[in-house]
Amino acid sequence: MTGKFIVIEGLEGAGKTTAINTVASILTQHNICDLQFTREPGGTPIAEALRNIIKNGLDDEPLTDKAELLMLYAARIQLIDNVIKPALKSGKWVIGDRHDLSTQAYQGGGRQLDNVFIKTLKEQVLGDFKPDLTLYLDIDPEIGLMRAASRGKLDRIEQQSLLFFKRIRQRYQELAKQDETIITIDAAKPLNNVIEQIEQILTTWLPKQVNNR
Ligand code: T5A
């Protein structure tokens, strides 16, 4: 019996932390208690070191957009091969704070890197590995960034322009429409409503997965 991989996606301040806790609590209520939590970029010592560079830079050396992209895939494959795949194989369910959809949205939409380049890299690095379910928390970047800013100092990516985040949201929305495993949640609603939306989605989705295990 292999586990399932559920990913939470969205802009900064979308409420991913609450969503992750909600998913974990619903899984536990369904007697799925062996959970592995991951975050991207990060989740292994090498991937965490890359996360630090991606979020904060290093010694004022400019980090190019292509180098950022390559680091994200390096971090991702470290995490997939060393943590996610072994966990799934052992029957654990994995709850991911971001995954490849972030790259499609941030580096493809936000940074406007060439989509063919990203697609080729993705295919070569990830093959056909993908989440079983992605919950995309859709939020206007002005609201999300305001929430994120209330926590204090902004990191390298959070300091980008509003236009950058608008492009990211647009790419997220486009990709969510094209893939039925990505479900959009209105994250502008109050937290209790966001929790209700997640409960409704999982209540429909989970029985099908558990029966297929
Ligand atoms: N990145 C990542 C890429 O560019 N490419 C990639 O491929 C990947 C994987 C990662 C950064 O790297 C980039 C994206 C990111 O810039 P991160 O810290 O993992 O950084 O991600 P962030 O999005 O920056 O994390 P945040 O903590 O900002 O977002 P969350 O987790 O969505 O926000 P959360 O849950 O902490 O909520 C923020 C605040 O808002 C409140 C919460 O209580 C909290 O105070 N809030 C609400 N308030 C009212 N109503 C609601 N519905 C609310 N939901 C949350």
Side-chain angles (χ1 to χ4, degrees), residues 12 15-17 55 76 98 103 107 147 151 189:
E12 3 284 290
K16 292 185 289 297
T17 311
K55 280 181 74 95
R76 182 160 302 131
R98 299 188 180 278
T103 304
Q107 280 62 47
R147 288 179 188 165
R151 282 181 317 214
K189 293 265 167 35

Side-chain angles (χ1 to χ4, degrees), residues 1 4 30 32 93 205-213:
M1 283 196 300
K4 300 283 176 193
H30 284 77
I32 301 165
W93 284 48
W205 182 82
L206 261 180
K208 297 179 203 158
Q209 312 307 313
V210 175
N211 291 339
N212 286 341
R213 287 177 88 198

Side-chain angles (χ1 to χ4, degrees), residues 140-154:
D140 183 327
E142 287 185 68
I143 302 175
L145 289 172
M146 215 153 45
R147 288 179 188 165
S150 67
R151 282 181 317 214
K153 196 170 167 279
L154 298 178

Side-chain angles (χ1 to χ4, degrees), residues 41-61:
T44 78
I46 291 173
E48 285 293 324
L50 290 168
R51 176 189 177 88
N52 195 26
I53 296 175
I54 292 164
K55 280 181 74 95
N56 305 312
L58 190 64
D59 285 350
D60 293 331
E61 177 183 347

Side-chain angles (χ1 to χ4, degrees), residues 42-44 46-47 50 73-84:
T44 78
I46 291 173
L50 290 168
Y73 275 111
R76 182 160 302 131
I77 199 61
Q78 286 295 117
L79 180 71
I80 291 174
D81 284 354
N82 295 331
V83 177
I84 299 179

